[in-house]
Amino acid sequence: MKIWLMIGMALIVILIWWYEWSRLGREKKKEKAAVAVLLCLTMLLGVILIINPELPGPTQAVNWLFRPLGKMLEK
């Protein structure tokens, strides 16, 4: 079951990559690198969360990181 989720996610990532890559021109190498890096990181995070769904997601990590700052600003 998990393998089908990973295959489906890979297909969606490939479609997003193809769409974005075709819209960027030949001169925009930095933008292409940024798209590739973000898609790879997203794919990696997705696979990790499919394999181990009990792990906290990125929203919980951001909340954990910035909660002390929010408490300091409330005072």
Side-chain angles (χ1 to χ4, degrees):
M1 181 68 175
K2 289 183 180 183
I3 191 73
W4 291 110
L5 288 172
M6 287 187 256
I7 290 171
M9 187 175 54
L11 288 174
I12 291 171
V13 167
I14 289 170
L15 287 173
I16 292 170
W17 174 79
W18 177 73
Y19 177 75
E20 290 295 330
W21 205 264
S22 64
R23 292 182 53 112
L24 293 173
R26 293 179 188 225
E27 302 84 30
K28 297 186 178 187
K29 294 183 180 182
K30 290 182 181 179
E31 286 85 354
K32 285 184 176 183
V35 167
V37 167
L38 289 174
L39 283 174
C40 287
L41 289 174
T42 303
M43 182 73 178
L44 178 67
L45 180 63
V47 168
I48 290 171
L49 289 174
I50 287 173
I51 292 172
N52 192 356
E54 291 84 25
L55 288 175
T59 306
Q60 292 167 331
V62 169
N63 286 340
W64 175 80
L65 185 64
F66 290 111
R67 184 170 290 137
L69 179 64
K71 287 182 181 178
M72 286 181 4
L73 292 174
E74 286 178 358
K75 291 182 181 182

